Amino acid sequence: MDNPFLIGPVVTGESFIGRRKLIEELERKYISGGRSGSLSIYGMPRVGKSSLIYNLFRRPAAEENPGLVTVTVDLGMQESFFSLWRNIVRGIRRAMRKKGIGGEEADGLFEVLSELYTSYELLIEDLEDLFDTLNEMGVRLLICIDEFDACTRIFADENASSSTYFQFLRTVATNPEYNVSFVLISRRSLEHLEEKAGGGSVLHLALEKRPISGFDEADKEAYKRTLAAHGVEVGKNLEKKLWHYGGGSPYLLSILGSTLVNEAPEKDLDKLYPEYSQQFLDYYKRVSELLKEEDYYKRMLEAFVGPKYDLTQSHVQELINRGYVTRTKEGKFATVSEDFRDYLFETWEVEGSGEIWPLLTETENRLRSVIDQVMTRAKGRNWERVMEAEYETRVAADPSAVYFVDFAKAARFIRTNVTRYGGRAGRVLNVIGLQELANIMEFYWNLGFSAFFGNRTFSDWKDRFAMLSRARNPLAHGNPECLTAAEIQTTNTYCREVLEVTARGTTS
């Protein structure tokens, strides 16, 4: 049985997994009805945008509609605005022949337009004649321009303003006498592309905007059914790891699915990770590059790593609107995958810690240093292992023991990094959050922490640590609300208090 999980190409048939509700909605709006308007589809790389439209155009409703002509061109493969339209016209002519649609007048226009134009005015005149003629023949054109990100190159013409080319697309898309609709596919938003190309904002307001993000719950169920049909039963443990590494990303899940089918009966994704880790890293780097290009990188770090110093609800909504973020049914926020969030954490340590709320970062680092000093003196150099063993003993004696440190999550993060980059394993202390740091201090307060904090009780500092944790924890950790100006000011005050008192503290 062939492996249905194809990595990279446009997929169809069994390899096109999920998206049932979305493709049915697009079929109703753009295939089955009459004049439908135009659509801008955008989202992260490898999220299935091209495959979605490829399969949409091959639905029975599209192929059996005698008056609907669909054509797809790749803008990235074009040399100029003129070659774009020559290839669109060729595609229209081929599609009409397949459907047995034709006429002498249209054939004459096709012959004229088969040449490569050098005059914008002549091209526009002949295209308008073609659109008028086809509309009178009862033909409705649905033109997909894939890789529309290339407009920043293709529409840069020394002989014409790029705004002229955007305006022409707008005119064609909105003129009822032409009966032409566009589907533009891009990684970046159309508004961003227009601005970058220097064309102003003339086109994006004329199209419906549809960000495409990862799989939803129904799509994931379809993915699991496809795995099962190829000999990979998805139990709870495997499912947990699938969503950790692959999240809702069709691309990452295809890599995992292909690996599982090929490597049966080995089903441990942790052990298989070295086989596909470079593909994951390459993908994460590309997504990060796009975030930086659109100036959303800092917002993503705040949302999924923290601190969320000046993150607002409008910032979060914009990330959602751009397809970088989704809201789960539990009300939390998700991006590519949990593994990608770990990658963002590593990025924050290298690139973001000195830029996003440096006062809180300094405070967090101070707390880690204090904990390391106190715990090393009290429990020895291997105090992290001792602490974990003591916690396991507590839980064994009392299963209702309160949450302390998520050792399993920390271990997975460390293990993944060792597998991904090699070298020595990291420390639990460096990958846990502020609330977990506070938990350690609370449980071991009398071992020496009180000396660092003015010889006061933990309860005197508990609310302060809670506020710092809330400011540090990103939205994805269950704090969907952003900080108010007053809370930011309070957090700054608490940071200064912690830094001041620990600077006076003693280890004696």
Side-chain angles (χ1 to χ4, degrees), residues 55 253 309 357 359 458:
N55 285 274
L253 289 173
Y309 176 66
W357 211 342
L359 185 60
F458 179 82

Side-chain angles (χ1 to χ4, degrees), residues 234-384:
V234 181
K236 289 185 178 180
N237 185 52
L238 177 57
E239 181 176 10
K240 183 178 180 180
K241 291 183 179 180
L242 278 171
W243 306 154
H244 169 78
Y245 286 112
S249 167
Y251 174 66
L252 299 182
L253 289 173
S254 290
I255 295 173
L256 297 175
S258 177
T259 303
L260 288 169
V261 170
N262 289 338
E263 298 295 331
E266 176 61 75
K267 300 295 187 296
D268 190 335
L269 290 182
D270 291 335
K271 292 181 180 178
L272 294 173
Y273 189 85
E275 295 184 25
Y276 51 78
S277 61
Q278 189 57 51
Q279 292 173 286
F280 276 48
L281 282 174
D282 290 342
Y283 182 66
Y284 295 162
K285 290 174 184 176
R286 183 64 187 120
V287 173
S288 296
E289 289 169 0
L290 286 174
L291 286 164
K292 291 175 181 177
E293 286 179 27
E294 290 199 284
D295 292 328
Y296 293 134
Y297 184 66
K298 178 175 178 288
R299 301 305 179 199
M300 282 288 285
L301 288 178
E302 288 184 278
F304 288 95
V305 180
K308 48 188 180 184
Y309 176 66
D310 57 354
L311 191 70
T312 67
Q313 293 288 3
S314 62
H315 292 144
V316 177
Q317 189 59 48
E318 196 162 14
L319 289 172
I320 293 172
N321 294 343
R322 295 294 187 247
Y324 292 115
V325 175
T326 56
R327 190 187 295 271
T328 69
K329 62 182 180 180
E330 293 83 12
K332 296 184 179 181
F333 294 86
T335 183
V336 177
S337 66
E338 292 288 320
D339 192 52
F340 179 63
R341 278 177 51 192
D342 291 345
Y343 177 84
L344 286 176
F345 180 83
E346 298 161 14
T347 303
W348 175 84
E349 286 190 307
V350 175
E351 301 180 19
S353 60
E355 298 179 5
I356 304 174
W357 211 342
L359 185 60
L360 182 55
T361 300
E362 182 183 359
T363 304
E364 182 177 0
N365 289 336
R366 176 68 61 80
L367 291 176
R368 294 186 196 278
S369 176
V370 168
I371 289 173
D372 197 30
Q373 289 182 54
V374 172
M375 295 300 289
T376 298
R377 185 182 61 185
K379 301 289 184 178
R381 294 171 60 89
N382 294 323
W383 64 263
E384 290 176 313

Side-chain angles (χ1 to χ4, degrees), residues 452-495:
F452 272 95
F453 291 90
N455 293 309
R456 294 156 63 184
T457 64
F458 179 82
S459 59
D460 292 334
W461 292 93
K462 187 171 184 176
D463 290 343
R464 288 172 172 79
F465 292 143
M467 184 68 239
L468 298 184
S469 175
R470 181 166 173 264
R472 177 64 175 84
N473 282 348
L475 302 177
H477 284 177
N479 291 319
E481 72 281 359
C482 297
L483 297 178
T484 65
E487 288 172 326
I488 291 174
Q489 184 176 3
T490 299
T491 302
N492 281 326
T493 299
Y494 288 166
C495 284

